[in-house]
Amino acid sequence: MKYLSLLTLILFSFSVRSQNSGYTNSSLPYFELLDQYRKLDDYSEKAKLIGYGKTDCGEPLQLFVISGTSIFNPERLHELGKCILFINNGIHPGEPDGMDASLVFAKNILSDPSNNALLENVVVCIIPAFNIDGALNRNSISRVNQNGPEEYGIRSNSKNLDLNRDFIKTETSNTHSLKSILQQWNPDVFVDTHVSDGADFQYTMTLISSQYSKMNPVCGKYMHETFTPLLFKSMKEKGDEMTPYVSTLNEQSILDSGIVAFLETPRFASGYMSLYNTFSFVTETHMLKPFQNRMKSTYRFLNSVLKICGENKNEILKVRSEAFKYDATLKEYPYNWELNTNQFESIKFNGYATEYSISSVTGLKRLKYNHEKPFSKKINFYNTYEAKSSIKIPRYFYLPQAYENIARLLESNGIVCNRVQHDSSSKCQSIIIDDYKTTSTPYEGHYLHSNITTHSIADSIKVSKGDYMISTSQPNIRILMEVLTPDAVDSYFAWGFFDSILQEKEWFSDYVFEDVAEKMLNENNDLKVKFEKWKVENPNKDSYNQLFFIYQNSPYFEKGFKKYPIRLIY
């Protein structure tokens, strides 16, 4: 039994420590942070700290839930029509503003009776620190350009991976556990807290709203026209005016080129969550502002989100419901989004004049921002993206049981993968990989593919008992299409999960194949014409490459080479 009468005492006991951590220049170490959440759990019926699966450092991932009804079953809370607000902290523990701000936010929600009305509509879920590994690895030097706190964690986890690039490949225990939590709680609104790098300007808080163009159009319209403007209005009323996250069209000049809305693809936490029709935001406080100011700004933002969720709960839930209905009618899926530089809006930007001098270190020109010369000017904000590609949605994706790892990854994303019970055959569409580029150095443990081009052919397959037929008639169709469409920017193919198909296993001996090639050219005039045309276009190819061209266009050529093993059934 928890005793609410003791809440005031326990809140006061850590109020000074929490506010010192937030309003001076120190940040709570992870276990002290967790201890404060445990105390809130102990003394409030509305609070519960829940341990989930392990992280790579062995510690369980913790979720702190504030529920005005004292109900902590996510399915039941959705049935009751609650809006689930999910706050993820410490994905980069060197950026701890949200970790400390969320604790003070949770304390004040539970101690201030004026929040009771909001808690009738909103359930707040807080991850105290997602990258516990990095949070435990504290130092004072890894964020060389950041203005405090005195100590903080590091960006990478214990596998030296960036967790904000792991939501598709899912190679850390941290991400496995968080995705399990997200599948259970199905947030309506998601906030990921960060600290930015980059240019200098007057704002403490910058914001990434999940790119509305690429969202489900029902959600995207509400995000662009209602939710995001409400957040900017609320923060301005608090005296903490925000700007969109500052990423310049041309790095040479913010003013001349304008700023570009950040495109968070599915590898990122917010890009991943938007595939579930969740309204997703990334707070990016400015690195050069003092830690206490950044933490206060994050705290104000969280209060703004809570208030908007509480006051607009019915509308938020209705929009999400309509979005899933829209997805159920999809025939074509758009993907691979590209900035439209012909469309922009004019926004006010509060910056500092830039000046250049000669560096005493390099002897070359260096940039400085002059705080004695602040300005407020209109600049272009490029906030429209267009899909470069689209694909007709199949009824099923066929997945051979040899790729069991892919089935498990899909299931971690809430996708139902049904096994075939009997041997059969089926007509299908097969995708051939024509070309791709690969990074020359590893990125998050992978050599990523990009600029992928493909073509499709009518085909047939033998389906064996134990293979998978994955229906596209599922609520989470967006994540399914993003990971299984091979030329999508964050597909499993792009991340290298199907690299074995990119290597030939069978070859030929040229001195033996000469006779076979001659016979083929004599009997197949189409092949002969094609070969002669190719020779004209490639005059410097040696005899082996000429024979290889014929071999490549013969029945003897390896049928599985560059043939994507997942088939589309319409």
Side-chain angles (χ1 to χ4, degrees):
M1 181 68 180
K2 300 177 183 180
Y3 296 95
L4 289 172
S5 59
L6 297 178
L7 180 60
T8 302
L9 174 64
I10 193 63
L11 286 171
F12 179 79
S13 72
F14 72 82
S15 176
V16 174
R17 179 69 179 95
S18 293
Q19 292 193 11
N20 281 344
S21 77
Y23 303 136
T24 63
N25 206 34
S26 64
S27 175
L28 281 171
Y30 175 69
F31 287 119
E32 288 188 35
L33 182 76
L34 199 61
D35 186 56
Q36 304 298 348
Y37 280 110
R38 287 197 183 98
K39 289 175 179 176
L40 281 175
D41 180 356
D42 288 343
Y43 293 101
S44 174
E45 294 280 2
K46 298 177 182 178
K48 188 172 185 180
L49 186 65
I50 307 168
Y52 280 84
K54 294 290 184 181
T55 58
D56 283 343
C57 68
E59 291 292 326
L61 188 62
Q62 301 286 343
L63 177 70
F64 184 74
V65 182
I66 300 173
S67 172
T69 60
S70 300
I71 295 172
F72 300 97
N73 180 292
E75 185 176 352
R76 179 60 182 148
L77 289 167
H78 277 289
E79 289 173 353
L80 293 171
K82 306 298 181 182
C83 179
I84 309 297
L85 168 60
F86 198 104
I87 302 163
N88 186 46
N89 297 303
I91 200 168
H92 297 148
E95 306 166 21
D97 303 9
M99 294 168 61
D100 288 87
S102 290
L103 177 62
V104 179
F105 174 65
K107 177 197 72 174
N108 288 344
I109 290 174
L110 291 167
S111 62
D112 186 349
S114 68
N115 290 314
N116 291 343
L118 292 175
L119 291 181
E120 289 180 8
N121 290 334
V122 185
V123 173
V124 179
C125 297
I126 299 172
I127 298 287
F130 174 32
N131 183 2
I132 300 172
D133 328 28
L136 293 174
N137 196 351
R138 285 168 71 84
N139 73 103
S140 302
I141 56 176
S142 60
R143 297 280 291 176
V144 63
N145 296 320
Q146 187 169 288
N147 187 0
E150 294 166 355
E151 286 190 346
Y152 42 78
I154 64 170
R155 187 180 186 90
S156 60
N157 90 324
S158 54
K159 283 185 175 177
N160 202 39
L161 291 173
D162 185 335
L163 297 187
N164 204 29
R165 311 295 189 274
D166 194 43
F167 281 81
I168 294 300
K169 56 190 180 68
T170 319
E171 292 180 316
T172 66
S173 297
N174 307 59
T175 308
H176 274 288
S177 297
L178 180 58
K179 285 170 74 169
S180 175
I181 296 171
L182 292 169
Q183 290 302 318
Q184 289 181 43
W185 285 87
N186 183 20
D188 300 293
V189 179
F190 178 85
V191 177
D192 201 28
T193 62
H194 289 253
V195 180
S196 75
D197 294 310
D200 194 5
F201 39 78
Q202 297 178 42
Y203 304 95
T204 299
M205 176 64 75
T206 72
L207 182 67
I208 298 173
S209 299
S210 195
Q211 174 44 231
Y212 77 94
S213 304
K214 70 175 177 61
M215 294 174 69
N216 173 300
V218 181
C219 287
K221 185 176 188 296
Y222 187 78
M223 173 71 95
H224 183 54
E225 297 180 0
T226 303
F227 209 146
T228 298
L230 282 173
L231 283 167
F232 275 82
K233 180 175 181 289
S234 175
M235 288 292 281
K236 187 174 182 178
E237 289 171 349
K238 290 181 169 74
D240 194 354
E241 189 172 6
M242 299 190 298
T243 191
Y245 178 73
V246 178
S247 176
T248 60
L249 185 66
N250 182 330
E251 292 185 3
Q252 298 304 312
S253 172
I254 293 175
L255 285 180
D256 292 341
S257 66
I259 60 176
V260 175
F262 184 76
L263 181 70
E264 11 78 275
T265 64
R267 73 187 65 172
F268 300 104
S270 60
Y272 174 80
M273 288 307 299
S274 71
L275 294 175
Y276 295 88
N277 298 327
T278 296
F279 295 101
S280 300
F281 303 93
V282 180
T283 60
E284 292 274 5
T285 52
H286 191 260
M287 62 177 179
L288 296 180
K289 303 299 186 289
F291 172 65
Q292 57 183 315
N293 294 356
R294 303 196 317 260
M295 183 270 191
K296 287 179 183 179
S297 188
T298 305
Y299 170 77
R300 293 187 197 104
F301 181 87
L302 296 179
N303 276 290
S304 292
V305 175
L306 175 63
K307 189 170 187 291
I308 291 167
C309 287
E311 294 176 349
N312 300 273
K313 184 261 293 187
N314 292 336
E315 194 171 4
I316 291 170
L317 299 187
K318 181 182 177 183
V319 170
R320 280 198 84 209
S321 176
E322 290 175 351
F324 283 108
K325 291 176 184 176
Y326 176 93
D327 285 348
T329 69
L330 276 174
K331 304 299 180 187
E332 294 267 341
Y333 185 76
Y335 62 102
N336 288 347
W337 297 84
E338 189 174 70
L339 183 69
N340 182 342
T341 56
N342 294 317
Q343 292 191 27
F344 56 87
E345 55 186 288
S346 181
I347 64 169
K348 185 187 77 170
F349 187 80
N350 298 327
Y352 298 113
T354 55
E355 298 174 352
Y356 291 89
S357 60
I358 299 301
S359 167
S360 60
V361 177
T362 67
L364 303 174
K365 188 167 67 172
R366 64 165 292 184
L367 168 68
K368 284 188 176 181
Y369 292 88
N370 190 339
H371 284 214
E372 300 300 318
K373 296 180 179 179
F375 65 76
S376 179
K377 294 182 179 180
K378 293 284 187 177
I379 64 170
N380 293 343
F381 177 40
Y382 297 88
N383 192 23
T384 302
Y385 284 78
E386 295 177 348
K388 293 192 299 180
S389 310
S390 67
I391 184 173
K392 183 181 177 184
I393 298 175
R395 290 187 300 118
Y396 295 94
F397 284 104
Y398 162 78
L399 174 68
Q401 59 193 289
Y403 292 92
E404 189 81 22
N405 61 319
I406 299 299
R408 300 291 81 80
L409 279 172
L410 290 171
E411 288 169 347
S412 75
N413 295 313
I415 298 298
V416 176
C417 299
N418 290 319
R419 282 189 180 272
V420 175
Q421 299 302 312
H422 305 283
D423 293 351
S424 63
S425 61
S426 178
K427 291 182 179 180
C428 68
Q429 188 177 86
S430 291
I431 297 175
I432 310 300
I433 309 298
D434 294 322
D435 198 13
Y436 57 93
K437 303 296 181 185
T438 304
T439 55
S440 59
T441 56
Y443 173 85
E444 296 302 316
H446 289 253
Y447 288 84
L448 274 177
H449 303 311
S450 62
N451 299 323
I452 302 159
T453 58
T454 68
H455 74 274
S456 299
I457 59 171
D459 207 351
S460 62
I461 46 169
K462 292 182 179 179
V463 180
S464 299
K465 179 182 178 181
D467 291 344
Y468 295 91
M469 284 291 184
I470 304 166
S471 172
T472 55
S473 295
Q474 302 195 42
N476 299 329
I477 186 175
R478 290 181 175 271
I479 182 69
L480 183 63
M481 297 304 297
E482 288 285 348
V483 297
L484 295 191
T485 305
D487 58 323
V489 64
D490 272 331
S491 69
Y492 290 146
F493 176 83
W495 278 98
F497 285 96
F498 295 99
D499 278 3
S500 58
I501 70 169
L502 302 178
Q503 180 185 7
E504 293 175 64
K505 303 300 190 295
E506 302 286 358
W507 292 88
F508 66 94
S509 295
D510 52 355
Y511 76 95
V512 177
F513 190 68
E514 281 271 4
D515 296 331
V516 177
E518 182 180 4
K519 185 173 185 294
M520 288 176 59
L521 292 175
N522 288 335
E523 295 177 353
N524 188 334
N525 190 60
D526 289 343
L527 177 59
K528 185 175 182 178
V529 170
K530 189 176 180 180
F531 177 53
E532 293 299 332
K533 182 176 182 292
W534 180 84
K535 284 198 296 183
V536 171
E537 295 170 348
N538 299 273
N540 298 320
K541 294 296 184 181
D542 59 20
S543 61
Y544 182 86
N545 279 289
Q546 291 188 40
L547 288 171
F548 180 73
F549 178 84
I550 299 170
Y551 172 70
Q552 197 174 30
N553 288 275
S554 76
Y556 305 105
F557 187 70
E558 190 174 332
K559 292 180 175 61
F561 179 55
K562 292 189 176 180
K563 193 172 189 178
Y564 186 52
I566 296 177
R567 312 299 165 82
L568 286 63
I569 298 175
Y570 288 97

